[in-house]
Amino acid sequence: MTHEVIKRVLKEPRLFKQIPIEALNELEGRILYKINEQAQLIDQPTLKSVITGLGLTPAETRAILPLAKSISTSPDLDNAEFELALFSLRTRAQMNLITLANVIGQGEHKPKDIDVIMERIHQLRTQKQDQYRQPINAKQWEKLQASEEEEIKINIDWFDDNDVPIKKKVLYGFIATTNGGKTIIKTWFATKLIRAGQNIVYLALEEPSEDTIRRVWQACLSITESQFKSQTDTSFETLGEEFKRKSIEHNWGEFIVVEWPNIEISDMKQRLIQYQKQNDIVIDGIVVDYGKLINVGTKSSAEWERIGLVFKELKGFCMEMNMYCITSIQLNRESTKALLKDGQTADLYDVAGAYEATHHLNYVWACHLTPSTEDNLDYDSPDTVLGQFKLTVQKSKYGKLPKGSSMTFSWTADHNLVQLRQQEANDVELPFTI
């Protein structure tokens, strides 16, 4: 069913990563890679554009024409047939690699060549084992208890008082206008999670990993920007050792930052599986600093369609990996202007991309930052208020905070957020309706 699989990938190029190339012959492999290459440049590759793009010699053209005809006339596979075909290809790929390993073992190659092949065989064997979990009978109360025991309370009074936990397999998101404070919110959340003993991976797609770590250090150690600069002027050792000491003393979780620009969900999954195995660690959740920058392996002329696919795949990732994910979507400048045009507000669902994202998110907050207008702020004091955040529930599936519930927090100079008592909270209006 190889040619049927290639035909399916031609229609859905994002499936490219799932095909074990070791099971294909040389011409089939070249076609598959050309499909992936063209998918990055045009909306929908065709078999004709792929064959033309290969730049074949006359002899190669004669050889590939029967293959091209077989692909074009192959029947379309439904999802079940496609999964079965993938299983067959992975089995064939494993057999080919075992044969190669036997040949190499008889030569003078370094042992690491064998190790690489055996690792790939193991990867092919286990690649899909967690996608479909065993059914759970309603009488299996142990499963429900285990799930509830995994719920995390993160020491934010607004959530804890209203029974809003962070749950595994759930996709959480923030929506904000341009310069709406998304990074501040997400690093604050990450800090709360590691303080609750959670092992967190932070996927840095917009800013350098060093900036993210700096903010978490500041929040955990209650130091300002200038204090951080002065204390790391000659070395990071003192501050780093202090963070390490407090982490051990208070049983904080691990905070791992990665820079994987333009990564696809399937690649991210495999890298995280490998990291957990190599470092003997269980990752509880992932923070994606800007979900829109995830690569879905296909090009779409409609931005809203691509955004919808990004968040759909992130949701599937949470379910497969038994992790929660916290991410955000930024309304672009054009969308922000549209919302504020002539002083009028618009429904958030009218903005391209926003609805497609919230459709797959389980819990959504709209956030709005109002910077402080005070003169002569003391930036050396961790208690200095740099602004106020208002969080408003946009979508709720857990706890007692219905849509429209809101709370205001002070943003202090050490990158912490402090919940204001209701009578102290300013009446900060969001620039869009909820």
Side-chain angles (χ1 to χ4, degrees):
M1 302 177 76
T2 306
H3 300 165
E4 290 93 330
V5 168
I6 294 175
K7 185 177 182 179
R8 176 72 180 268
V9 176
L10 190 62
K11 293 182 177 180
E12 298 180 66
R14 67 188 184 87
L15 299 173
F16 164 78
K17 291 287 186 178
Q18 298 185 30
I19 313 303
I21 200 70
E22 298 90 349
L24 309 182
N25 63 36
E26 193 265 343
L27 284 178
E28 292 168 342
R30 289 176 66 181
I31 288 177
L32 201 65
Y33 275 105
K34 183 56 68 173
I35 292 173
N36 181 60
E37 179 184 308
Q38 291 192 358
Q40 311 304 315
L41 304 173
I42 60 178
D43 291 341
Q44 184 61 62
T46 65
L47 186 57
K48 182 178 180 181
S49 69
V50 168
I51 299 299
T52 303
L54 289 175
L56 301 172
T57 65
E60 289 173 329
T61 301
R62 287 192 296 271
I64 207 170
L65 285 179
L67 172 58
K69 182 178 180 180
S70 177
I71 293 172
S72 64
T73 58
S74 293
D76 294 327
L77 299 178
D78 61 26
N79 289 337
E81 291 170 334
F82 181 70
E83 290 297 329
L84 183 61
L86 282 183
F87 179 80
S88 175
L89 288 179
R90 284 197 297 272
T91 303
R92 189 193 308 171
Q94 291 175 57
M95 296 304 297
N96 291 344
L97 287 169
I98 290 172
T99 301
L100 178 61
N102 288 333
V103 172
I104 291 178
Q106 297 173 8
E108 298 180 356
H109 293 74
K110 296 180 180 178
K112 69 177 182 180
D113 295 334
I114 298 290
D115 293 340
V116 170
I117 293 174
M118 297 308 295
E119 178 66 26
R120 176 57 176 161
I121 291 172
H122 174 75
Q123 184 184 48
L124 287 168
R125 186 185 302 118
T126 59
Q127 193 170 19
K128 304 292 286 187
Q129 66 178 12
D130 291 329
Q131 182 175 11
Y132 301 111
R133 298 181 183 272
Q134 292 298 315
I136 299 176
N137 190 302
K139 296 178 181 177
Q140 293 176 280
W141 59 267
E142 299 90 348
K143 297 285 187 180
L144 298 179
Q145 179 172 316
S147 176
E148 185 169 332
E149 288 174 350
E150 284 190 326
E151 293 181 358
I152 307 105
K153 291 187 178 295
I154 56 175
N155 195 30
I156 298 175
D157 290 343
W158 189 40
F159 299 149
D160 293 348
D161 294 344
N162 291 282
D163 299 325
V164 179
I166 302 297
K167 297 167 65 76
K168 293 289 184 71
K169 304 181 184 179
V170 173
L171 181 59
Y172 299 87
F174 294 95
I175 296 182
T177 54
T178 306
N179 298 320
K182 301 180 309 304
T183 301
I184 298 168
I185 283 285
K186 289 193 295 293
T187 50
W188 173 59
F189 250 65
T191 300
K192 290 290 188 180
L193 287 164
I194 63 173
R195 283 178 168 178
Q198 297 289 288
N199 296 324
I200 301 299
V201 167
Y202 192 103
L203 177 56
L205 296 174
E206 273 197 302
E207 297 188 351
S209 56
E210 294 82 3
D211 289 350
T212 303
I213 294 174
R214 170 179 57 81
R215 289 192 186 93
V216 170
W217 278 16
Q218 284 181 242
C220 288
L221 301 178
S222 296
I223 58 176
T224 65
E225 300 271 357
S226 56
Q227 289 170 341
F228 180 89
K229 185 176 181 180
S230 64
Q231 293 183 41
T232 58
D233 188 38
T234 56
S235 171
F236 283 80
E237 181 178 358
T238 301
L239 208 59
E241 289 299 323
E242 174 65 11
F243 177 77
K244 187 186 299 184
R245 183 190 66 77
K246 292 194 73 170
S247 295
I248 296 172
E249 179 183 349
H250 298 289
N251 293 316
W252 291 348
E254 299 294 335
F255 185 67
I256 303 111
V257 185
V258 295
E259 294 178 0
W260 293 335
N262 204 37
I263 194 169
E264 294 186 18
I265 298 294
S266 57
D267 284 345
M268 183 168 72
K269 175 185 172 183
Q270 293 303 320
R271 286 175 180 269
L272 290 178
I273 290 173
Q274 184 178 26
Y275 183 88
Q276 291 180 102
K277 179 181 176 182
Q278 291 177 344
N279 294 274
D280 192 24
I281 187 176
V282 175
I283 295 171
D284 297 297
I286 181 168
V287 179
V288 180
D289 70 352
Y290 194 11
K292 184 179 176 180
L293 295 183
I294 291 286
N295 182 7
V296 290
T298 184
K299 182 178 175 62
S300 173
S301 57
E303 181 70 359
W304 63 266
E305 185 177 7
R306 199 189 70 81
I307 289 174
L309 187 55
V310 167
F311 283 83
K312 177 183 178 181
E313 292 199 3
L314 276 176
K315 175 60 181 174
F317 168 87
C318 292
M319 298 293 289
E320 289 183 38
M321 296 290 285
N322 192 35
M323 297 179 186
Y324 49 80
C325 176
I326 298 171
T327 186
S328 65
I329 181 171
Q330 173 180 297
L331 303 179
N332 59 30
R333 288 179 173 81
E334 289 72 21
S335 299
T336 302
K337 289 178 182 177
L339 288 170
L340 302 173
K341 185 178 180 181
D342 300 324
Q344 301 295 315
T345 59
D347 194 303
L348 186 60
Y349 292 159
D350 293 335
V351 181
Y355 174 73
E356 285 68 29
T358 57
H359 179 69
H360 299 290
L361 290 159
N362 297 99
Y363 208 110
V364 186
W365 296 276
C367 66
H368 180 54
L369 169 63
T370 303
S372 174
T373 57
E374 293 185 21
D375 296 327
N376 303 317
L377 289 174
D378 181 9
Y379 291 99
D380 289 330
S381 171
D383 298 325
T384 298
V385 176
L386 302 182
Q388 288 189 349
F389 273 94
K390 185 171 184 178
L391 297 184
T392 304
V393 178
Q394 180 78 27
K395 182 178 181 181
S396 170
K397 286 199 173 183
Y398 308 107
K400 298 182 293 188
L401 288 178
K403 179 179 178 181
S405 303
S406 62
M407 181 57 65
T408 305
F409 298 81
S410 289
W411 170 37
T412 55
D414 60 356
H415 285 283
N416 273 304
L417 269 65
V418 180
Q419 180 176 323
L420 297 180
R421 293 196 300 271
Q422 199 60 42
Q423 60 267 31
E424 294 178 334
N426 290 344
D427 187 17
V428 181
E429 292 296 333
L430 286 169
F432 42 81
T433 58
I434 304 302

